[in-house]
Amino acid sequence: MFKAILIDKVDSTYQARITDLSDEQLPEGDVTVRVSYSTLNFKDGLAITGKSPVVRQFPMVPGIDFVGTVENSTHPKYQAGDKVLLNGWGVGETHWGGLAQKARVNGDWLIPLPLGISEQQAMAIGTAGYTSMLCLMALERHGVRPEHGKVLVTGASGGVGSFAIALLANNGYSVIAATGRLEETEYLKHLGAETVIHRSELSEPGRPLAKERWAAAIDSVGSHTLANVCAGTQAEGAVAACGLAQGMDFPASVAPFILRGVSLLGVNSVTQPYARRVEAWSRLCDELDFHKLTEITREIALPQSLEAASDLLQGKVRGRLVVDVNR
């Protein structure tokens, strides 16, 4: 038996609870992993609280990422004892995820734990750090360079935002951080932000075109914020969009795209090809200041995830929540 968070829905009753499960209940897959750590992401918060229909089938174990040790495997890449990690691939939505002491998954969804980092560090980075690196890589593929101008990061106090600031600053970019919590200004500047602005400058309906303020942006908020980010982007600039904390809608004009040549780059952290996943994690190991992980991260026990999910959705959590599933 092993412990897990289990979400179930009977009639109209939605419930998330800690429970004991057996190996026989695990879903199909060719690799079984003894999970060491998972994390609590925005999507996990939605799943646990039922605030949005993230969970596609019931019962469901949430947790969109995890790291651990292979217990048994019939996949050619992995054998018992290997350290592996997973981001995305529908775990926690359509397939049981990482907020449990065991997981069984398709081995193609895994990558080896990179050398030189611990399991706890891997989940301190987690999907938030991984997504931030994918955004940076997308901007780079578009040709964005530090000399082109400032880069805006929205949702700056959250997990994706915190890592985006640290990664951009480490790569020589001048960063503007937008946050609803100006009391975190010192924290954001320590991560590498040069300027901190209040999110209210971006979160309300705005003009189709605004003053050109940044060469590029990483946005995890969506809705009016993303529309205003695009409106304030310099000619031939780019915006990497990876989240929907404010909403899924995009009440924007085509003006930034057809009058300034702004590019909107969608970043999907769920189903990236193996080579790109490995590249992203390799760069994270090389380009992150691991001394800052302790400032970005707070560790909690598995049962604490239930309460923390609500705090996360209310914007009360700074940085990352790492979940030690074995306590």
Side-chain angles (χ1 to χ4, degrees):
M1 303 294 288
F2 62 92
K3 293 195 177 297
I5 293 177
L6 191 70
I7 300 169
D8 211 345
K9 187 176 183 181
V10 179
D11 298 323
S12 59
T13 303
Y14 189 99
Q15 182 185 50
R17 69 187 193 279
I18 299 287
T19 191
D20 291 313
L21 299 172
S22 68
D23 286 18
E24 290 72 24
Q25 291 174 276
L26 286 167
E28 292 185 2
D30 52 10
V31 181
T32 302
V33 179
R34 293 193 305 275
V35 179
S36 301
Y37 296 93
S38 184
T39 64
L40 198 66
N41 295 276
F42 192 81
K43 190 179 287 186
D44 301 318
L46 293 174
I48 290 170
T49 61
K51 297 292 186 183
S52 182
V54 169
V55 177
R56 307 298 176 83
Q57 61 187 49
F58 297 92
M60 177 59 58
V61 174
I64 65 171
D65 52 19
F66 65 78
V67 65
T69 305
V70 173
E71 185 171 86
N72 55 67
S73 169
T74 58
H75 192 281
K77 277 188 179 176
Y78 304 106
Q79 58 186 4
D82 289 346
K83 301 290 186 182
V84 293
L85 64 84
L86 181 147
N87 302 98
W89 297 96
V91 298
E93 300 175 76
T94 59
H95 190 96
W96 284 13
L99 286 169
Q101 293 172 331
K102 284 192 180 184
R104 183 175 292 145
V105 297
N106 182 334
D108 291 341
W109 303 344
L110 300 166
I111 66 168
L113 178 68
L115 296 175
I117 66 170
S118 69
E119 292 172 278
Q120 199 274 350
Q121 287 173 324
M123 284 298 101
I125 297 169
T127 294
Y130 168 66
T131 302
S132 298
M133 177 54 78
L134 291 176
C135 288
L136 174 57
M137 290 164 62
L139 293 177
E140 290 174 342
R141 287 196 301 273
H142 189 74
V144 175
R145 298 292 179 265
E147 59 268 24
H148 295 162
K150 299 180 185 296
V151 179
L152 172 71
V153 175
T154 65
S157 299
V160 172
S162 294
F163 279 106
I165 293 168
L167 288 168
L168 286 163
N170 192 60
N171 278 279
Y173 292 89
S174 176
V175 181
I176 303 172
T179 179
R181 297 155 63 191
L182 289 180
E183 67 272 18
E184 301 286 11
T185 294
E186 184 178 348
Y187 161 75
L188 296 172
K189 288 191 171 182
H190 184 67
L191 291 180
E194 183 178 286
T195 307
V196 178
I197 64 174
H198 196 273
R199 69 182 179 199
S200 60
E201 294 187 33
L202 303 167
S203 59
E204 300 299 325
R207 297 178 178 178
L209 278 180
K211 180 181 177 182
E212 297 176 61
R213 299 173 64 184
W214 36 79
I218 293 177
D219 175 68
S220 59
V221 178
S223 192
H224 290 291
T225 297
L226 178 56
N228 288 319
V229 168
C230 292
T233 301
Q234 294 170 197
E236 304 304 323
V239 177
C242 64
L244 45 69
Q246 187 179 7
M248 288 188 67
D249 58 325
F250 182 42
S253 161
V254 297
F257 312 114
I258 65 173
L259 298 180
R260 288 187 184 158
V262 171
S263 294
L264 180 57
L265 313 174
V267 175
N268 164 29
S269 64
V270 178
T271 54
Q272 290 291 320
Y274 180 83
R276 186 168 290 169
R277 283 180 275 150
V278 171
E279 178 188 359
W281 275 98
S282 176
R283 287 191 58 179
L284 284 163
C285 293
D286 292 339
E287 297 174 24
L288 265 181
D289 180 350
F290 277 74
H291 294 294
K292 292 180 180 177
L293 276 184
T294 54
E295 299 172 44
I296 297 174
T297 305
R298 177 164 63 93
E299 186 176 305
I300 61 176
L302 185 63
Q304 292 176 280
S305 302
L306 297 174
E307 182 177 351
S310 295
D311 291 340
L312 184 65
L313 297 187
Q314 294 172 41
K316 297 179 180 178
V317 175
R318 172 208 276 185
R320 303 277 296 128
L321 289 174
V322 175
V323 183
D324 182 345
V325 300
N326 294 299
R327 70 177 180 91

